[in-house]
Amino acid sequence: MTTVDNLFDDGAEHFERFAPALWNTMGNAVVAAADLQIGQSVLDACCGSGASTIPAAQVVGPDARVDAVDLSAGLLALAAAKASALGLDAVNFTKADVSVWAAEQTYDAVLCCYGLFFLPDMAAGARHLASQLRSGGKLAISTWQDGAHEPFVSLLREACFEEQPGLRGAPVPPPLRQMAEISSVEKLHSFLETVGFGSIEVHTAPLQIPLDADLAWTLVLGTGYRFLLPPDTAGRERVRSRFMEKLGDEPTLNADSLIAVAIRE
């Protein structure tokens, strides 16, 4: 059975290839929005390959507590290798479900880049993250804005449906449903308020990324879109061929995002 953790283990190399184009840019943006200070303690929830972990650790300094938690051992290994190469040896990497994992001490800041909607129950998970913050502690997150990844995802789904007609009409996967629940400034602000945060600021982060065929397919293989693909190699190749034809020449990925910062009251 394919789960979120082994999906990202299988796709870790592809996920990382997209880091310079997207993950690192937005990881830095979330860390900047969090306005971290030297010595502050930080939890990076759903840390992936370290796009926000690394800049956070660099800002708070070598004596600060930085914990990075993710379900994917493959992505954690990549993040740990980066931290080691940069001499950030104090960062702690843990394979766990961050929606239930808890530290012994609270944090000054919790970061979560494009991970909130992957939690089994997004609202319960967000409340748990709030519990990891000291009173007055700060949550900084990124998520996708309405219209992000279009027409990329619609074209991919169509190519997958042509290969696997039975997928048409299938229930929307929970991560996609939860993603839609926080996909506008108003929705994200309301969600964070509902789960107990105050002093909430939500900003748009427009981003357009030029693609070529290899980079487009890398995004598919390295993210949750991998769930759509048929299990056999031949079927995947047929989907890829159809998808590239639909995508056309010189495609651009709409990666418009939202960045929110909120305070635990």
Side-chain angles (χ1 to χ4, degrees):
M1 178 180 177
T2 301
T3 60
V4 170
D5 52 339
N6 63 37
L7 179 147
F8 282 102
D9 282 344
D10 293 343
E13 178 183 345
H14 300 285
F15 181 96
E16 181 59 19
R17 284 187 60 200
F18 217 78
L22 176 57
W23 312 127
N24 293 349
T25 297
M26 294 308 299
N28 278 290
V30 169
V31 170
D35 192 26
L36 301 174
Q37 305 298 313
I38 291 175
Q40 286 189 321
S41 56
V42 179
L43 168 62
D44 192 4
C46 306
C47 68
S49 62
S52 45
T53 311
I54 300 302
Q58 291 172 322
V59 170
V60 299
D63 298 323
R65 177 168 61 107
V66 178
D67 290 322
V69 179
D70 201 280
L71 272 173
S72 169
L75 292 178
L76 285 168
L78 290 170
K82 293 179 191 177
S84 178
L86 292 169
L88 302 172
D89 299 322
V91 180
N92 300 304
F93 294 95
T94 301
K95 183 182 184 300
D97 179 353
V98 77
S99 66
V100 295
W101 180 88
E104 293 182 359
Q105 296 177 296
T106 55
Y107 297 90
D108 295 304
V110 171
L111 312 177
C112 189
C113 293
Y114 303 109
L116 205 58
F117 44 79
F118 280 113
L119 302 182
D121 181 323
M122 186 168 65
R127 291 188 182 95
H128 180 71
L129 292 181
S131 75
Q132 299 299 292
L133 284 164
R134 63 169 175 78
S135 179
K138 193 178 297 184
L139 173 75
I141 69 170
S142 61
T143 190
W144 302 113
Q145 190 175 359
D146 276 330
H149 292 208
E150 289 295 351
F152 184 97
V153 64
S154 292
L155 298 174
L156 175 63
R157 288 170 66 88
E158 190 60 35
C160 290
F161 293 161
E162 290 170 5
E163 180 68 24
Q164 307 168 99
L167 286 179
R168 290 187 187 274
V172 176
L176 293 180
R177 174 179 51 77
Q178 294 188 144
M179 189 188 305
E181 293 173 1
I182 54 172
S183 61
S184 71
V185 171
E186 296 77 18
K187 288 179 181 178
L188 183 52
H189 190 285
S190 176
F191 172 81
L192 291 172
E193 194 172 47
T194 298
V195 297
F197 287 95
S199 302
I200 301 162
E201 294 186 7
V202 183
H203 301 282
T204 59
L207 183 60
Q208 301 292 314
I209 301 174
L211 299 174
D212 57 25
D214 286 341
L215 194 58
W217 195 241
T218 289
L219 179 62
V220 174
L221 294 179
T223 65
Y225 293 137
R226 195 182 182 99
F227 274 124
L228 293 170
L229 300 178
D232 60 298
T233 301
R236 288 191 175 195
E237 282 304 311
R238 288 191 294 269
V239 168
R240 173 177 176 150
S241 178
R242 292 190 187 103
F243 178 51
M244 293 308 156
E245 183 176 349
K246 294 174 186 292
L247 206 56
D249 297 329
E250 300 182 0
T252 299
L253 177 70
N254 174 359
D256 290 350
S257 300
L258 300 171
I259 295 176
V261 178
I263 305 299
R264 182 191 176 189
E265 296 183 324

